[in-house]
Amino acid sequence: MFRKLKEDIDVVFERDPAARNRFEVITLYPGFHALLMHRLAHKLRQWNFKWMARFVSHLSRLFTGIEIHPGAVIGRRVFIDHGMGIVIGETAEIGDDCTLYHGVTLGGTSWNKGKRHPTLGKGVVVGAGAKILGPINIGDGAKVGSNAVVVKNVPTGATVVGIPGHVLDPCPEAVIPLAREKPRFNAYAVNGATDDPVEQTVQSLIAHVQESDARMEKLLAQLDKMGINSDADSAAAESWIAPPGKVSGQ
């Protein structure tokens, strides 16, 4: 128990540069408080004190703004940064070394009993406001961008963004980047080098149009040098194809 408590405190220093000392973490970090109270609530549920477990969970939400159902399974060295507005459902599972930011929802999409909430692998980072819905799996080391809505499985090591969520860079063969490894950690799940494929496609189309316009301008300039009046030829062609009895342009 004390070993897990020490890990929960140490992980704050690893992932939050604003943390100054252990006393500050113990007294002023709601994410730490929420995890501590969840462990108690989860134990009470395992001992079949279900009402008491929900009551502890309710108190935790009241004091921290973080709602974690007592039935949720949370691994070691999980870090909840800021935390306000986080909702974690009854059958959700969170692996070791995960990081969750404020406004994250691990929700269900069914009213049926049984597994209906997501499973997060090891080292997953979930950005602020992201919604992960349904009994889906988020692979080890995956990153979910801020405000993404994820309703399908995410491969190991991939980054998913958008509404609905789409994968940017799946890399199942890559070494799994655990969140506790500082050099591999990306706060809020997406770094500045990440490109959205939709944005890439739009930029490519714009570049193609600009290139076509430039080539057309060069072609018209060459026609002018050869003494060919492209505007006059265009007007003549339009008059030639106009129906009899009609004047072009009218």
Side-chain angles (χ1 to χ4, degrees):
M1 177 181 176
F2 289 104
R3 183 180 177 184
K4 288 184 178 180
L5 186 63
K6 183 179 183 300
E7 287 181 341
D8 288 340
I9 296 172
D10 290 342
V11 80
V12 175
F13 289 100
E14 292 180 10
R15 300 180 211 168
D16 185 3
R20 297 182 300 173
N21 54 65
R22 283 180 169 78
F23 180 74
E24 184 178 82
V25 171
I26 293 171
T27 56
L28 300 177
Y29 272 70
F32 171 76
H33 301 152
L35 289 172
L36 196 62
M37 296 182 76
H38 170 71
R39 290 207 175 92
L40 173 58
H42 189 66
K43 279 294 183 185
L44 288 170
R45 180 183 171 88
Q46 290 178 327
W47 295 335
N48 209 32
F49 295 113
K50 293 183 178 180
W51 184 91
M52 184 61 69
R54 288 299 301 267
F55 182 70
V56 171
S57 175
H58 182 74
L59 289 178
S60 176
R61 184 184 66 167
L62 180 66
F63 287 108
T64 67
I66 300 168
E67 182 174 347
I68 308 175
H69 194 282
V73 178
I74 299 180
R76 298 168 65 174
R77 298 178 299 278
V78 171
F79 178 46
I80 296 178
D81 199 1
H82 301 296
M84 180 63 70
I86 283 180
V87 177
I88 300 174
E90 178 185 15
T91 62
E93 299 176 48
I94 302 175
D96 297 342
D97 302 296
C98 289
T99 300
L100 278 62
Y101 288 90
H102 47 282
V104 166
T105 298
L106 304 183
T109 56
S110 170
W111 289 348
N112 298 325
K113 293 187 179 295
K115 179 64 174 174
R116 60 189 185 278
H117 297 92
T119 297
L120 275 57
K122 296 180 180 180
V124 174
V125 182
V126 186
K131 316 299 178 191
I132 306 176
L133 307 175
I136 60 176
N137 293 307
I138 309 300
D140 293 351
K143 297 177 285 294
V144 180
S146 297
N147 297 316
V149 178
V150 184
V151 293
K152 295 181 179 180
N153 294 338
V154 176
T156 295
T159 296
V160 59
V161 300
I163 304 173
H166 52 272
V167 174
L168 296 185
D169 54 347
C171 49
E173 72 284 354
V175 177
I176 299 169
L178 294 182
R180 60 194 173 115
E181 297 176 11
K182 288 184 180 180
R184 307 292 297 277
F185 180 70
N186 293 320
Y188 291 95
V190 179
N191 58 40
T194 302
D195 293 323
D196 190 326
V198 177
E199 182 181 353
Q200 286 181 320
T201 302
V202 172
Q203 293 295 335
S204 178
L205 290 172
I206 292 173
H208 178 71
V209 170
Q210 291 175 339
E211 182 182 355
S212 298
D213 287 346
R215 295 177 66 183
M216 184 63 71
E217 291 294 334
K218 289 181 180 179
L219 179 59
L220 293 175
Q222 290 296 327
L223 290 174
D224 288 339
K225 287 182 181 180
M226 296 170 63
I228 301 174
N229 190 328
S230 58
D231 293 336
D233 290 344
S234 297
E238 185 179 351
S239 300
W240 184 76
I241 63 175
K246 292 187 178 182
V247 180
S248 176
Q250 295 183 349

